[in-house]
Amino acid sequence: MPTIKDVAKLSGISRSTVSRVINNHPYVNEEKRMRVKQAMLDLGYVPNSSAQRLRGSKTKTIAVLISRIVNPFFSGLVDAMDTVATEAGYKLILCNTRGSKERELNYLDLLKTKQVDGVVFASIENDWSDIKPYLAYGPMVLCNEYTDQTDIPSFRINHFQATIEAVTHFIKEGRTKIAFCRGDETIGSNLGVDREKGFISALTSHHLSFNKQWLFRNVSSIEDGRNVMKKIERMTDRPDAIFTGSDEVATGIIAEAKISSIKVPKHLSVIGFDDQQIAGVITPGLTTIRQPINKLGEQTMQHMIHILTNRISFLGHTEVLTTEFIVRDT
Amino acid sequence: MPTIKDVAKLSGISRSTVSRVINNHPYVNEEKRMRVKQAMLDLGYVPNSSAQRLRGSKTKTIAVLISRIVNPFFSGLVDAMDTVATEAGYKLILCNTRGSKERELNYLDLLKTKQVDGVVFASIENDWSDIKPYLAYGPMVLCNEYTDQTDIPSFRINHFQATIEAVTHFIKEGRTKIAFCRGDETIGSNLGVDREKGFISALTSHHLSFNKQWLFRNVSSIEDGRNVMKKIERMTDRPDAIFTGSDEVATGIIAEAKISSIKVPKHLSVIGFDDQQIAGVITPGLTTIRQPINKLGEQTMQHMIHILTNRISFLGHTEVLTTEFIVRDT
DNA sequence: GTGAAAGCGCTAACAG
DNA sequence: CTGTTAGCGCTTTCAC
């Protein structure tokens, strides 16, 4: 591997000037610049990024924390982030925490050891007080998740409002026995809490009460949805509508309903969350809340890059994007 | 940020010994080891990875090239690879080439500039002759894709055989007018070529000929599938079966069929590829070829890590995993 | 404009 | 077992 020294030797020009050429420094004689470039080409020289990092301590790399990439919500988010990052010359390190606090902390060490310039949280596992100390090592931005324990930048939708809208839709359709699914309990985040608040709020304002039996915890996959449906089938007092919290869960419920006596939407009305591709292709078509996934990912990454480019130590910012209620058949 | 020097000073022990402690070197006095560890804790010391890289030149990072992470086939693959990589202490850089040769080459530069220890190709855009030179900078492994221009390690299924199986199934069901979809044309890969060969081979051995009108090129998304269906609807001589090459395309065809006069499977039989989750939840259930995505990803990454761990400069290996034909309703 | 020289933080001989 | 020392490849003052 040729080094800057070899280029200097071959071109007969000092290392410092070669370095200037590499970094597009303005004050370099045009003729020498050419000679250096030619030497680099002849040798197949590429600057060693570890050395550059050691000197300058910027990595042009960003860590993106998600719970799991197979979840289409996250892969959509990552895809959008990647587009913006690549455009700006940044690379992404994929951090699948898989719901583990420990793994999340390990990934945060990337910031500490200067392997990434910043961290984007699209999912969050630890309590904010455990994450906060890492802010000393570099910037962080929240996407989708949020917490009121800090004013760290965050890009998200209003989960409280979106849930009210969905539940109100059920009520307007004449449903009164409404079930509710929530995902994994996460300490550091308000997302689940807000949805639950919205749910209760919508019920209350229509003088409906909530049957605790119809609360399903820790459901997030298609398989989980199938299991929810099996449980409902066994109930004597069954709900007539269900807020699923994700299109995957809704899909599982609908798929299971096909081999069950409970029919969707006749006996059970279903609302998903996200408006994934699957919502539009299953039968019956899934009514759902569309999140602007692309915008969410893009704006988050733009903000992170803005912070990094301008070396801003802290820039609070909260962006609440709007959702769209998509009515289909369920 | 504290450095190794600070730790040495605080503990009153030399830098080399501190370094030995960091690297779990065997011959260090237990008492000193403790003193060093305490000092590291007190200072909140973490080794600067850029410096470590510059010295040792290993990054514990692997680049994974895919065309796009939103494609569930790729996110499944990446998920499996990530599990193995994390286990072995490696990180993954996500490289969405989005079908661009240029971007692929840019990602390969990560190997040249020593930002990654190796590269896994799960999709491939450039001709092998353009990729080959990069082998000088580090190991590469192929997953799913393959080429006969080299004996680089590759983990894949037999696309030729799988396609024959699918087409033979159609023929046994009495279908004779069989259409064929292929994805993006990629120069460096045999995958598409082998499927096409398998298709022709199956037809020929049953004395069927192939109508060129029923060949669809560059189809890979749900949307593409819908368009294929629209085209079929306009034909006067319509196929009665279609090999789609992906569950996404098949899903698009089935969704579009619901608002069309052509019914699946009555008028048109459909076979997907991969056996994604979606195949089991749409109606009618999609008949498809199951690829062992997890195994594919895991074995590929295991092999890469094996090469890296043992500093093997070259280790050819071809693993052909078996597929499973899943018969549902279409 | 350009070169010499001083490190960035770490590891790995090499003596002791 | 442990400390001294010499760089890894690059950038950046600071003189000229």
Side-chain angles (χ1 to χ4, degrees):
Chain A
M1 271 281 72
T3 73
I4 200 172
K5 216 170 164 178
D6 301 316
V7 178
K9 200 177 293 171
L10 182 63
S11 60
I13 292 166
S14 79
R15 274 150 61 185
S16 4
T17 302
V18 174
S19 171
R20 290 190 184 98
V21 172
I22 294 168
N23 297 287
N24 293 312
H25 212 85
Y27 304 121
V28 176
N29 175 300
E30 201 46 43
E31 185 253 329
K32 294 202 176 178
R33 183 190 298 282
M34 281 310 160
R35 254 171 51 206
V36 169
K37 291 217 163 179
Q38 189 55 51
M40 299 201 305
L41 229 58
D42 291 349
L43 291 159
Y45 167 82
V46 188
N48 177 319
S49 71
S50 300
Q52 289 182 311
R53 288 185 185 193
L54 181 54
R55 261 327 290 259
S57 81
K58 55 184 72 86
T59 65
K60 285 284 188 176
T61 307
I62 294 167
V64 178
L65 271 67
I66 59 173
S67 68
R68 254 188 105 183
I69 193 66
V70 286
N71 181 329
F73 172 71
F74 288 123
S75 54
L77 224 43
V78 169
D79 187 65
M81 291 181 184
D82 177 77
T83 310
V84 174
T86 305
E87 182 67 29
Y90 282 83
K91 298 165 288 299
L92 299 185
I93 291 203
L94 187 68
C95 308
N96 275 311
T97 64
R98 292 166 202 276
S100 147
K101 292 187 179 195
E102 191 196 341
R103 224 164 300 167
E104 180 171 270
L105 257 18
N106 285 342
Y107 282 125
L108 280 174
D109 277 336
L110 294 176
L111 197 57
K112 219 172 175 179
T113 57
K114 305 227 182 309
Q115 304 195 62
V116 299
D117 295 338
V119 175
V120 171
F121 285 89
S123 79
I124 193 162
E125 301 300 331
N126 286 276
D127 192 83
W128 181 251
S129 60
D130 293 326
I131 294 173
K132 198 179 174 184
Y134 287 89
L135 265 178
Y137 307 109
M140 301 180 184
V141 176
L142 261 41
C143 176
N144 180 47
E145 298 278 353
Y146 54 107
T147 163
D148 47 18
Q149 296 175 59
T150 178
D151 52 349
I152 193 174
S154 115
F155 295 77
R156 59 181 182 93
I157 61 149
N158 190 330
H159 290 271
F160 177 75
Q161 208 52 54
T163 309
I164 288 187
E165 198 172 347
V167 176
T168 307
H169 175 83
F170 279 146
I171 297 171
K172 281 196 182 140
E173 302 260 295
R175 310 280 173 161
T176 53
K177 302 162 76 176
I178 304 169
F180 182 84
C181 301
R182 51 172 299 172
D184 302 340
E185 323 277 324
T186 303
I187 307 172
S189 136
N190 275 348
L191 185 156
V193 177
D194 271 11
R195 285 190 187 174
E196 211 159 325
K197 277 188 195 156
F199 178 64
I200 302 288
S201 160
L203 290 187
T204 312
S205 62
H206 288 89
H207 313 293
L208 291 172
S209 66
F210 174 49
N211 183 338
K212 286 243 166 73
Q213 219 201 329
W214 300 334
L215 168 63
F216 299 93
R217 289 174 179 278
N218 276 308
V219 290
S220 53
S221 67
I222 291 183
E223 204 48 43
D224 293 339
R226 296 193 109 113
N227 289 330
V228 165
M229 190 52 163
K230 284 177 192 156
K231 278 186 196 156
I232 290 176
E233 218 177 343
R234 279 186 238 110
M235 292 179 179
T236 44
D237 187 17
R238 292 176 185 154
D240 60 8
I242 185 161
F243 173 89
T244 64
S246 88
D247 286 354
E248 285 78 44
V249 173
T251 300
I253 289 174
I254 291 167
E256 192 67 26
K258 283 177 192 154
I259 52 172
S260 143
S261 58
I262 303 173
K263 293 303 165 200
V264 172
K266 194 180 172 204
H267 309 295
L268 184 73
S269 190
V270 179
I271 291 181
F273 212 110
D274 293 348
D275 195 27
Q276 303 285 355
Q277 279 202 314
I278 202 168
V281 296
I282 55 172
T283 322
L286 177 61
T287 296
T288 190
I289 296 155
R290 178 180 295 166
Q291 283 205 69
I293 299 188
N294 275 320
K295 272 193 199 164
L296 230 35
E298 283 164 14
Q299 293 194 13
T300 304
M301 193 48 75
Q302 271 156 7
H303 191 76
M304 171 57 88
I305 288 169
H306 178 73
I307 290 177
L308 257 20
T309 315
N310 302 293
R311 293 168 187 217
I312 297 163
S313 63
F314 191 80
L315 179 61
H317 182 98
T318 300
E319 186 86 29
V320 180
L321 301 179
T322 54
T323 53
E324 198 180 335
F325 193 64
I326 309 290
V327 179
R328 294 202 181 87
D329 317 322
T330 63
Chain B
M1 271 280 73
T3 73
I4 200 170
K5 218 169 165 178
D6 301 313
V7 177
K9 200 178 294 172
L10 181 64
S11 61
I13 292 166
S14 79
R15 277 151 58 187
S16 14
T17 302
V18 174
S19 171
R20 289 189 185 101
V21 173
I22 294 169
N23 297 286
N24 293 312
H25 212 82
Y27 303 122
V28 177
N29 176 298
E30 200 48 40
E31 185 252 329
K32 294 202 176 180
R33 182 190 299 278
M34 281 310 160
R35 255 169 54 206
V36 168
K37 290 217 163 177
Q38 189 55 51
M40 300 202 304
L41 230 56
D42 291 348
L43 291 158
Y45 167 82
V46 189
N48 178 317
S49 71
S50 301
Q52 289 182 311
R53 289 185 184 192
L54 180 54
R55 249 343 279 263
S57 82
K58 54 185 69 94
T59 66
K60 285 283 189 176
T61 307
I62 294 167
V64 178
L65 271 67
I66 59 175
S67 69
R68 253 189 106 183
I69 193 66
V70 286
N71 180 330
F73 173 72
F74 288 121
S75 54
L77 223 43
V78 169
D79 187 65
M81 290 180 184
D82 177 76
T83 309
V84 173
T86 305
E87 183 68 29
Y90 282 83
K91 298 165 288 300
L92 262 30
I93 290 201
L94 187 68
C95 308
N96 275 310
T97 64
R98 291 165 203 276
S100 147
K101 291 188 178 192
E102 191 196 343
R103 224 163 299 165
E104 182 170 272
L105 258 18
N106 285 343
Y107 282 124
L108 281 174
D109 276 336
L110 293 177
L111 198 57
K112 219 173 175 178
T113 58
K114 304 227 182 307
Q115 304 195 63
V116 299
D117 296 338
V119 175
V120 171
F121 286 89
S123 78
I124 195 162
E125 301 300 331
N126 285 277
D127 193 84
W128 182 251
S129 61
D130 293 325
I131 294 173
K132 198 179 175 183
Y134 287 89
L135 264 178
Y137 306 109
M140 300 180 185
V141 176
L142 260 43
C143 176
N144 182 46
E145 298 278 354
Y146 53 105
T147 162
D148 47 17
Q149 295 175 57
T150 177
D151 52 352
I152 194 174
S154 114
F155 295 76
R156 58 179 182 95
I157 61 150
N158 189 330
H159 289 271
F160 177 75
Q161 207 53 52
T163 309
I164 288 187
E165 198 172 347
V167 176
T168 307
H169 175 83
F170 279 145
I171 296 171
K172 280 194 184 143
E173 301 261 295
R175 311 280 172 160
T176 53
K177 300 161 77 176
I178 304 169
F180 183 85
C181 301
R182 53 172 299 172
D184 302 340
E185 322 276 324
T186 304
I187 307 171
S189 137
N190 274 350
L191 186 158
V193 177
D194 270 11
R195 285 190 186 173
E196 210 158 328
K197 276 189 194 156
F199 178 65
I200 302 288
S201 160
L203 290 187
T204 312
S205 63
H206 291 273
H207 313 293
L208 291 172
S209 65
F210 174 48
N211 183 336
K212 286 244 167 71
Q213 219 201 329
W214 301 334
L215 168 64
F216 300 92
R217 289 174 180 278
N218 275 308
V219 289
S220 53
S221 68
I222 291 182
E223 204 46 47
D224 293 340
R226 295 195 111 110
N227 290 330
V228 165
M229 191 53 163
K230 284 177 192 154
K231 277 187 196 154
I232 290 177
E233 221 177 340
R234 278 187 239 111
M235 291 179 179
T236 44
D237 187 17
R238 293 176 184 154
D240 60 8
I242 184 161
F243 173 90
T244 63
S246 88
D247 286 353
E248 285 78 45
V249 172
T251 300
I253 289 175
I254 291 167
E256 192 66 25
K258 284 176 192 155
I259 51 172
S260 142
S261 57
I262 303 172
K263 293 303 163 198
V264 173
K266 195 181 171 202
H267 309 295
L268 184 72
S269 190
V270 179
I271 291 181
F273 212 110
D274 292 349
D275 195 27
Q276 302 284 355
Q277 279 201 315
I278 202 168
V281 295
I282 54 171
T283 322
L286 177 62
T287 296
T288 189
I289 296 155
R290 178 180 297 166
Q291 283 206 67
I293 298 188
N294 274 321
K295 272 192 197 162
L296 229 36
E298 283 163 15
Q299 293 193 13
T300 304
M301 193 47 76
Q302 271 155 7
H303 191 77
M304 171 56 88
I305 288 170
H306 178 73
I307 291 178
L308 256 21
T309 314
N310 302 293
R311 293 167 187 218
I312 299 161
S313 63
F314 191 80
L315 179 62
H317 182 97
T318 299
E319 187 85 30
V320 181
L321 301 179
T322 53
T323 52
E324 198 181 336
F325 194 62
I326 309 289
V327 179
R328 293 201 181 87
D329 316 322
T330 62

